């Protein structure tokens, strides 16, 4: 299953335009608010130059890169958490994704409608952030009320959940996003089930129309977002670039930011039939990573043959890697490293 990333922001700020660039699709991106009502779904290829290096050595029939699923979610307006605009539908869709790309209009163009009738990126960010926070406050209060009336057995768990929800509520009311807080290992396990919006890893994507140097908003917005991951995109320039390779380079930066916030790394499977890249969460055990390929691999896991990418590039075949003592056999608890080339041995 691929990682899902949702594009959010005010209506008419360029979300679908950016979705089209990221996925090479052509969904409508027209100059009126709520052009997108039902979310669009597409995939963005994770261009990894290591695949090309591996291809040059192995000459496989096929190369399969890994992908990120991109969801273009309808625009959000002030009051969404109370049902304004497409309100709760929008918020429900955000719940489904693993990470968020928050698109901010940083271009001045009087011909493009702004729902607030002015261009003010910091205020726009604030509107979206407020709605996300309100939605999480609501979620905290609802769950606290359920727990307060809980008559069942597991009293200790209820106490811990209540303590955690109170900590969340206190911070949300101070306008602090949950992703900015420190949580203990135990709290992290408990908090997952609530699926808070302000806990989702987020990158900000500033949508500009001209060269960075000429944009009047960037400096101030970057300062405002100084503790967040910020990328800049210029659809007008990107759409004029003829060389596909140059577009890929620009997009890779955005995709890799997503990898970074989600703590994702890549491993490879390499054979004559195909070379394939797979993403996994950093510090995962070998047995858990095996399941990404097929659940049977986990069920019947014996061990894994591992070659690091660097060694494969250096020695150029499994046989010579072996000869130089660089092929390793690892068990289920081995922590998979970025760039590992893995061959799982399993028995069913
Ligand atoms: N000048 C300028 N126009 C842009 C830019 N990005 C998007 N637009 C235009 O802004 C309008 C809205 O773009 P969309 O991509 O549909 O915006 P959206 O955020 O998906 O809008 P909704 O689906 O209605 O929420 C379109 O006419 C785009 O061509 C930009 O960087 N500069
Ligand atoms: Mg749209």
């Amino acid at each position: 299953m691929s990682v899902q990333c949702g594009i959010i922001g005010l209506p008419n700020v360029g979300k679908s335009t950016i979705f089209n660039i990221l996925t090479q699709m052509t969904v409508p991106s027209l100059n009126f608010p709520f052009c997108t009502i039902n979310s669009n779904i597409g995939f963005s290829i994770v261009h990894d130059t290591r695949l090309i290096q591996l291809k040059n050595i192995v000459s496989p029939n096929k190369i399969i890169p890994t992908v990120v699923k991109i969801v273009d979610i309808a625009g959000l307006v002030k009051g969404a958490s109370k049902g304004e605009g497409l309100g709760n539908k929008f918020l429900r869709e955000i719940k489904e994704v693993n990470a968020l790309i928050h698109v901010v209009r940083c271009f001045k163009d009087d011909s493009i409608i702004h729902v607030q009738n002015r261009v003010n990126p910091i205020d726009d960010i604030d509107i979206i952030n407020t709605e996300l926070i309100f939605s999480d406050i609501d979620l905290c209060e609802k769950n606290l009320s359920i727990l307060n009336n809980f008559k069942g057995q597991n009293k200790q768990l209820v106490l811990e959940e209540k303590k955690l929800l109170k900590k969340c509520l206190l911070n949300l009311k101070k306008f602090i996003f949950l992703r900015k807080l420190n949580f203990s290992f135990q709290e992290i396990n408990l908090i997952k089930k609530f699926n808070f919006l302000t806990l989702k890893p987020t990158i900000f994507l500033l949508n500009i129309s001209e060269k960075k140097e000429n944009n009047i908003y960037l400096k101030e917005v970057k300062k405002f977002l100084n503790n967040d991951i910020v990328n800049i995109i210029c659809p007008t320039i990107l759409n004029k670039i003829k060389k596909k390779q140059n577009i890929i380079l620009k997009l890779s930066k955005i995709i890799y930011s997503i990898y970074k916030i989600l703590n994702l790394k890549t491993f490879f499977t390499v054979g004559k039939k195909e070379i394939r890249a797979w993403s996994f969460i950093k510090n995962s055990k070998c047995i858990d990573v095996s399941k990404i390929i097929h659940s049977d691999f986990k069920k019947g896991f014996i061990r894994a043959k591992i070659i690091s990418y660097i060694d494969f590039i250096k020695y150029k075949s499994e046989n010579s890697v072996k000869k130089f003592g660089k092929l390793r056999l690892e068990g289920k608890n081995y922590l998979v490293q970025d760039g590992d080339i893995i061959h799982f041995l399993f028995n069913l």
Side-chain angles (χ1 to χ4, degrees), residues 10-17 29-36 75 107 109 112 207-209 235-236:
L10 285 183
N12 221 39
V13 294
K15 298 183 299 299
S16 299
T17 307
S29 56
L30 302 170
N31 183 16
F32 59 89
F34 297 115
C35 171
T36 308
F107 64 83
D109 181 341
I112 304 291
N207 185 9
I208 61 172
S209 266
T236 353

Side-chain angles (χ1 to χ4, degrees), residues 4 6 37-39 71-74 88-97 100 197 200:
Q4 294 197 41
I37 293 179
N38 295 317
S39 54
V71 188
D72 172 26
I73 299 173
N88 295 327
K89 171 178 158 54
F90 160 92
L91 296 164
R92 253 197 327 274
E93 282 172 349
I94 303 187
K95 275 200 180 293
E96 309 287 315
V97 297
L100 302 174
L197 304 183
K200 304 226 178 241

